[in-house]
Amino acid sequence: MTVISIPADSLFGLDNLPYGVFSTPDAGPRVGVRVGDSVVDLAKMLGDAAFAQPTLNAFMAQGRPRWVEVRAQITDLVVGDVPDAAVHSVDDVTMHLPIAVADYVDFYASENHATNLGRLFRPDAEPLMPNWKHLPVGYHGRSSTVVVSGTDIVRPSGQRKAPTDAAPTFGPSLRLDIEAEMGFIVGVGSPMGSSISPDEFADHCFGAVILNDWSARDIQAWEYVPLGPNLGKSFATSISPWVVPLQALDAARVATPVQDPTPLPYLQGEQDWGLDIDLAVEWNGDVVSRPPYAGMYWSPSQMLAHTTANGAAASTGDLFGSGTISGPEKDQRGAFIELTWSGAEPVEVAGEQRTFIQDGDEIAISATAPGHAGARIGFGEVRARILPAGS
Amino acid sequence: MTVISIPADSLFGLDNLPYGVFSTPDAGPRVGVRVGDSVVDLAKMLGDAAFAQPTLNAFMAQGRPRWVEVRAQITDLVVGDVPDAAVHSVDDVTMHLPIAVADYVDFYASENHATNLGRLFRPDAEPLMPNWKHLPVGYHGRSSTVVVSGTDIVRPSGQRKAPTDAAPTFGPSLRLDIEAEMGFIVGVGSPMGSSISPDEFADHCFGAVILNDWSARDIQAWEYVPLGPNLGKSFATSISPWVVPLQALDAARVATPVQDPTPLPYLQGEQDWGLDIDLAVEWNGDVVSRPPYAGMYWSPSQMLAHTTANGAAASTGDLFGSGTISGPEKDQRGAFIELTWSGAEPVEVAGEQRTFIQDGDEIAISATAPGHAGARIGFGEVRARILPAGS
């Protein structure tokens, strides 16, 4: 039997307990919970076959009462002796994509980001569209290219046409970018013809991850009218491996900024689902931005309510992204196109002046939030290296 | 043993042999092939467990050589005696969604439709965007709300704002519409980092269905800038139950219209994948439009090549829609917003003047294509009844 030690300053203490899918050299992907620097094999510890699965979906589908029960069981058990065979060091495991992604929707919920992008993509028009403060604008992305942190990202090729070019050309993106976001995962869906109100959020949302919505700005700028982004985004979306349960975010809940005009009733709730999460964007080892989630205009509960307001089904494994998180300050911008103002204002990265991503670059986004009693909890990170086009 | 009779004028003769998923009162969903007015249980006839599944995905994933082999086996076997237990009348079976939908992408490949919609949505601008003749414009839709023909469609609610309204209101769509399309199904995908060229189409595309991309025009018009359609489309997409194999469409293959400017090399192929498919749109029993697929500017092989050109993965069960099929004539328009010019020019439907869809309406889209020796093959139909909001 093993007693799991939790360092006093750990971001993975008992108020966090995120779930992930791990494998070891001797056994394939199954569900674990992170405690300090250990990963506990939940099928071995709790004997529920839902954990002996290569994704969290079966457990998530069991519903909120079960999520609460399992979290309480883990809290009780990991402070005592845990069977040796159920405990692994985080350094000895490989992490996998934690969920089978059903539908993936990406939003656009930061007023600073939407305003900055509006100025850059449509310099001659009002930066915010008339609908922006009435509904959380979003679009569907490609589910099959959601990958876990650590997966290399190959630079995408596509059609690019600068305004001064006579015709588009096909080739590797010259303006490869990130979008630092949070991702939210639906545990329990809703059938076609029904909808989820903002105050029902906790019955449906299982937890949150960090999400990097890789964006090829040159491909996107040429293709996106009138039906929205497609190949400029569809090549890859990375998420962090540890899903922080919604229960662990109690101390992080805050009100959203004042929403004016008042949203329509279907977007109103009594519960605060703004979240005081601090992100950090690291580019080749240098932190270049610290986007604050707390300033996001639309809450994740409003995003889920909006998604289902027309009676669209929600499913176990649905993933929705917040959209780029950008604060009001320059060093709080969550995309390099904003941080460098479309390349016009390079930033210093490891001693070099940089604009967009170069081959070989490594990007890591980390995040923490308030835990209980002044401590903090961690989301870990979503990290990837960029490989040249065609690799 | 049963000898299956095929009426001389059947649209489901031996040159068609579409696959679907059916159930009977005594047994659940499994794969069948349609022959005349009969459905043949393929697991019973061929003894392959891939057919004893509730979707076509396992069979589709076996790949093109197997698709060719099975088609030849069926052709041989159904002209002889077939075990009684393997044969059902189409009238005695329930048809189900034939595939587990992976990613769903909807295109916009008809020049007439894109021009008409451009005029209606953006009256003060050039109707075709500058990118339209350079790439097949498309966007990702919601996979979880793809339903089979016969499923009732509940009128969606959402935010609507007429240009003259001071603010949006939430309520049932007042401009519910159809889009008559063909849908194409990926049988064999491609891994992340690779792409599919237009001439590799037949190795990857399993077959085609009729697709109705239900559209709430008022919701769509308010929400779609700048990230494209979301709730105006995500409530439902209907497809026909019988998947016509690509092999059955040999006699329907035609060149696309001349593409000028010449597409970039990654969109060029030696093979013609334009398709001479005739559709008919029936509104409460009256045929109001006959959209011709043969005039579509972009071919499905180009749509699949474009989707994977950035290295995005394709998966078994991916579905892509052609976009509304509209011909140059008014009675060839595949959406009511075009047919009635945004409601300004009502059409006569069963003796009434009509613009958009009313509760209780029933819409059916059927399609046929050339088969061998002058005969025709059928796709069957995609049919649905509209129920009031909130039902």
Side-chain angles (χ1 to χ4, degrees):
Chain A
M1 304 291 276
T2 300
V3 176
I4 298 174
S5 75
I6 305 176
D9 60 348
S10 176
L11 296 171
F12 297 96
L14 295 180
D15 47 355
N16 192 348
L17 300 177
Y19 298 97
V21 170
F22 74 102
S23 65
T24 46
D26 63 320
R30 69 262 195 203
V31 175
V33 65
R34 180 157 176 181
V35 185
D37 296 326
S38 300
V39 179
V40 179
D41 183 324
L42 284 178
K44 285 223 169 82
M45 191 170 75
L46 299 178
D48 180 340
F51 298 117
Q53 299 281 333
T55 71
L56 289 170
N57 291 47
F59 171 49
M60 295 195 300
Q62 291 179 347
R64 187 187 185 191
R66 177 67 178 153
W67 308 339
V68 171
E69 178 182 53
V70 166
R71 186 170 168 84
Q73 288 174 344
I74 292 170
T75 306
D76 285 348
L77 289 171
V78 298
V79 295
D81 286 348
V82 180
D84 292 342
V87 183
H88 305 268
S89 162
V90 287
D91 297 330
D92 297 339
V93 305
T94 301
M95 298 304 298
H96 300 267
L97 189 66
I99 60 168
V101 182
D103 277 305
Y104 165 46
V105 176
D106 197 26
F107 286 90
Y108 194 51
S110 156
E111 185 172 357
N112 294 297
H113 170 72
T115 303
N116 287 335
L117 267 277
R119 290 200 175 114
L120 291 167
F121 274 70
R122 296 173 297 278
D124 302 326
E126 278 294 313
L128 276 193
M129 293 291 181
N131 57 16
W132 198 90
K133 291 208 165 180
H134 293 279
L135 57 88
V137 169
Y139 68 99
H140 284 74
R142 195 161 185 83
S143 303
S144 66
T145 50
V146 176
V147 296
V148 72
S149 175
T151 307
D152 293 335
I153 302 299
V154 176
R155 179 181 298 271
S157 291
Q159 289 198 26
R160 313 138 316 166
K161 181 185 169 300
T164 51
D165 295 342
T169 54
F170 183 88
S173 170
L174 303 174
R175 291 163 68 87
L176 183 58
D177 197 359
I178 64 157
E179 295 200 337
E181 308 190 9
M182 296 301 299
F184 298 88
I185 295 168
V186 173
V188 172
S190 56
M192 253 176 104
S194 69
S195 56
I196 297 171
S197 76
D199 284 344
E200 292 171 323
F201 184 63
D203 289 331
H204 294 273
C205 181
F206 178 77
V209 292
I210 314 165
L211 185 149
N212 187 346
D213 173 28
W214 302 97
S215 298
R217 300 299 180 189
D218 40 3
I219 299 172
Q220 181 185 355
W222 170 236
E223 76 176 357
Y224 90 104
V225 281
L227 300 186
N230 186 7
L231 275 76
K233 305 266 194 178
S234 65
F235 57 97
T237 304
S238 299
I239 63 173
S240 54
W242 293 109
V243 182
V244 173
L246 215 59
Q247 280 185 272
L249 294 172
D250 264 352
R253 290 172 60 182
V254 293
T256 59
V258 173
Q259 297 180 328
D260 179 22
T262 302
L264 285 162
Y266 82 96
L267 291 172
Q268 295 174 20
E270 296 295 317
Q271 302 174 9
D272 286 334
W273 281 108
L275 293 166
D276 180 20
I277 300 171
D278 290 339
L279 289 84
V281 178
E282 197 185 289
W283 190 350
N284 293 343
D286 274 2
V287 172
V288 294
S289 175
R290 296 189 181 276
Y293 192 86
M296 298 293 273
Y297 192 87
W298 295 105
S299 71
S301 60
Q302 290 175 313
M303 297 177 209
L304 184 58
H306 185 66
T307 300
T308 58
N310 65 349
S315 309
T316 297
D318 278 358
L319 170 67
F320 57 102
S322 61
T324 306
I325 305 156
S326 289
E329 305 302 324
K330 182 167 177 177
D331 63 0
Q332 294 180 322
R333 295 175 185 164
F336 297 159
I337 191 173
E338 293 175 78
L339 194 63
T340 69
W341 210 247
S342 200
E345 303 171 13
V347 291
E348 185 169 311
V349 175
E352 296 177 28
Q353 295 295 105
R354 301 294 293 279
T355 55
F356 291 97
I357 297 173
Q358 295 182 7
D359 292 343
D361 280 1
E362 187 160 342
I363 312 288
I365 309 170
S366 58
T368 63
H372 291 127
R376 291 191 76 77
I377 62 172
F379 287 81
E381 63 175 20
V382 56
R383 177 180 293 269
R385 194 170 42 128
I386 306 301
L387 302 185
S391 11
Chain B
M1 304 292 275
T2 301
V3 176
I4 298 174
S5 74
I6 305 176
D9 59 350
S10 176
L11 296 170
F12 297 96
L14 295 180
D15 48 355
N16 191 349
L17 299 175
Y19 299 98
V21 170
F22 74 101
S23 66
T24 46
D26 63 322
R30 68 265 195 198
V31 175
V33 64
R34 180 156 177 181
V35 185
D37 296 326
S38 299
V39 179
V40 179
D41 184 323
L42 284 178
K44 286 224 169 82
M45 191 169 75
L46 299 178
D48 180 340
F51 299 117
Q53 300 282 333
T55 71
L56 289 170
N57 291 47
F59 171 49
M60 295 196 299
Q62 292 179 346
R64 186 186 184 192
R66 177 67 178 154
W67 309 339
V68 171
E69 178 182 55
V70 166
R71 186 170 168 86
Q73 288 175 344
I74 293 170
T75 306
D76 284 348
L77 288 171
V78 298
V79 295
D81 285 348
V82 180
D84 291 342
V87 183
H88 306 269
S89 162
V90 288
D91 297 329
D92 297 339
V93 305
T94 300
M95 298 305 297
H96 300 266
L97 190 66
I99 60 168
V101 181
D103 277 305
Y104 164 47
V105 176
D106 197 27
F107 285 90
Y108 193 52
S110 156
E111 184 172 357
N112 294 298
H113 170 72
T115 304
N116 287 335
L117 268 277
R119 289 198 177 115
L120 291 167
F121 273 69
R122 297 173 296 278
D124 302 325
E126 278 294 311
L128 277 193
M129 293 291 180
N131 58 15
W132 198 89
K133 291 207 165 180
H134 293 279
L135 57 86
V137 170
Y139 68 98
H140 284 74
R142 194 162 185 84
S143 303
S144 66
T145 49
V146 176
V147 297
V148 72
S149 175
T151 307
D152 292 334
I153 303 299
V154 176
R155 178 181 298 272
S157 292
Q159 289 197 26
R160 314 139 314 168
K161 181 185 169 301
T164 51
D165 294 344
T169 53
F170 184 88
S173 171
L174 303 174
R175 291 162 69 87
L176 183 59
D177 197 358
I178 65 158
E179 295 199 338
E181 308 190 10
M182 294 302 298
F184 299 88
I185 295 168
V186 173
V188 172
S190 57
M192 252 176 105
S194 68
S195 56
I196 298 171
S197 76
D199 284 345
E200 293 171 324
F201 184 63
D203 289 331
H204 294 273
C205 181
F206 178 78
V209 293
I210 314 165
L211 184 150
N212 187 347
D213 173 27
W214 303 97
S215 299
R217 301 298 180 191
D218 39 4
I219 299 172
Q220 182 186 355
W222 170 234
E223 74 175 359
Y224 90 104
V225 281
L227 300 185
N230 186 8
L231 276 76
K233 305 268 195 177
S234 66
F235 58 96
T237 304
S238 299
I239 64 173
S240 54
W242 293 109
V243 182
V244 173
L246 214 59
Q247 281 185 270
L249 294 172
D250 265 353
R253 290 172 59 182
V254 293
T256 59
V258 173
Q259 298 181 327
D260 181 20
T262 303
L264 285 163
Y266 81 95
L267 291 171
Q268 294 175 20
E270 296 294 315
Q271 303 173 10
D272 285 334
W273 281 109
L275 293 166
D276 180 20
I277 301 170
D278 290 340
L279 289 85
V281 178
E282 197 185 291
W283 190 349
N284 293 342
D286 274 3
V287 173
V288 293
S289 175
R290 296 188 182 276
Y293 192 86
M296 296 295 271
Y297 192 88
W298 295 105
S299 70
S301 60
Q302 291 175 312
M303 296 177 209
L304 183 58
H306 186 66
T307 300
T308 59
N310 64 350
S315 309
T316 298
D318 278 358
L319 171 67
F320 57 103
S322 61
T324 307
I325 304 156
S326 289
E329 305 302 326
K330 181 166 178 177
D331 62 0
Q332 295 180 320
R333 295 176 185 164
F336 297 159
I337 191 174
E338 292 175 79
L339 194 64
T340 68
W341 209 247
S342 199
E345 302 172 13
V347 292
E348 185 170 312
V349 175
E352 295 177 28
Q353 294 295 107
R354 301 294 292 278
T355 55
F356 290 96
I357 298 174
Q358 295 182 7
D359 293 342
D361 280 1
E362 189 161 340
I363 311 289
I365 309 171
S366 58
T368 63
H372 291 126
R376 290 192 77 77
I377 63 172
F379 286 81
E381 64 174 20
V382 55
R383 176 181 292 270
R385 194 169 42 127
I386 305 302
L387 302 186
S391 13

